Amino acid sequence: HYTDYLLAPAYSVLLVVTACIMVLAVKWTVLGRVRPGVYDAPGFFSLRKWFIDKLLDLQKDAIMPVYDTLYARPWCIGLGMKCGPRCEIALPARLPYDLFELGEEGFLASDNSIGLPIRRNGKLKLEQTVTGKRVFIGNNSVIPQGRSIPDDTLLGALSVCPTTEQLGGIPNQSWLGSPAFKMPARQRFEQFDKEHTYKPTFRLYVERLV
């Protein structure tokens, strides 16, 4: 019936909202907030973490419309992630939300693998991963856990993040490849004003939300 077509957008929104509420409720009830540390594997904590990781994988198709939108930031914050203002988040491949901090005006492209835990000798090791202001993480990149990426750093697509020691806390760097090499220079485009990039107007916010 034609009314079904008219109601289809409402059904779609209801599906996404219901899936998000369910995932958040189960995540915080079963697992709570994950903190850095070393845990037994197998163990009660590692079993609960495995369960929530699988739940997020299973619900990925239902939740996917949230990503690449302005709704991605509050969703990730709801899962325990620290997100700076005006950051952009696409659908990640793997992301331990509680243990990742995306800095102000940062950009996380699609299908990244970030902060995977280390399993060794019956132990599960979890570390915090942090990015600074205006860090750009390209598509299909890998950031091992424990990295601290300085401000204005670019990690190109299909790249592995260098170690924190290699980065040295120095801002405005560009890295590419696996293993990554430091790019001495890269093309920059200065023709776009901040009102269309990092400091959008209220009208643009409303248009994106709609």
Side-chain angles (χ1 to χ4, degrees):
H1 197 269
Y2 72 91
T3 55
D4 293 331
Y5 294 103
L6 295 176
L7 291 173
Y11 291 148
S12 301
V13 172
L14 182 61
L15 173 65
V16 174
V17 171
T18 302
C20 289
I21 292 174
M22 184 271 292
V23 169
L24 289 174
V26 175
K27 189 268 181 184
W28 289 105
T29 301
V30 173
L31 185 60
R33 182 173 295 280
V34 177
R35 302 188 184 280
V38 179
Y39 303 89
D40 292 329
F44 185 50
F45 170 81
S46 60
L47 176 63
R48 290 182 291 135
K49 186 179 185 305
W50 171 85
F51 177 81
I52 296 303
D53 289 343
K54 291 301 179 183
L55 176 65
L56 285 167
D57 285 339
L58 289 171
Q59 293 295 323
K60 185 172 288 186
D61 288 341
I63 299 171
M64 184 169 58
V66 172
Y67 293 94
D68 282 310
T69 72
L70 294 185
Y71 300 103
R73 181 174 178 267
W75 162 245
C76 291
I77 291 174
L79 285 170
M81 182 172 157
K82 293 182 179 180
C83 306
R86 297 180 301 281
C87 60
E88 291 279 343
I89 303 169
L91 182 65
R94 299 172 188 86
L95 179 60
Y97 294 89
D98 290 301
L99 300 172
F100 181 61
E101 181 176 342
L102 182 63
E104 179 181 353
E105 298 172 355
F107 189 98
L108 187 63
S110 301
D111 295 317
N112 291 298
S113 178
I114 297 175
L116 283 185
I118 297 174
R119 292 177 173 86
R120 186 176 299 153
N121 299 325
K123 297 293 182 181
L124 178 69
K125 184 179 181 182
L126 301 173
E127 295 181 311
Q128 191 83 19
T129 304
V130 179
T131 68
K133 182 178 180 180
R134 291 191 183 178
V135 169
F136 185 101
I137 307 299
N139 299 71
N140 297 94
S141 297
V142 176
I143 303 180
Q145 67 173 358
R147 296 293 194 269
S148 181
I149 304 177
D151 296 348
D152 293 296
T153 295
L154 165 72
L155 181 65
L158 296 166
S159 300
V160 176
C161 183
T163 65
T164 302
E165 290 72 22
Q166 288 177 295
L167 293 168
I170 302 171
N172 197 24
Q173 302 183 51
S174 301
W175 293 79
L176 178 67
S178 176
F181 63 91
K182 190 174 183 180
M183 301 170 64
R186 63 182 171 90
Q187 188 175 12
R188 295 180 181 272
F189 297 91
E190 306 292 346
Q191 67 267 40
F192 302 104
D193 55 46
K194 291 183 179 180
E195 285 70 25
H196 289 87
T197 53
Y198 294 111
K199 307 284 186 182
T201 62
F202 178 77
R203 178 180 176 179
L204 288 178
Y205 267 108
V206 173
E207 289 178 357
R208 283 280 310 271
L209 288 170
V210 172

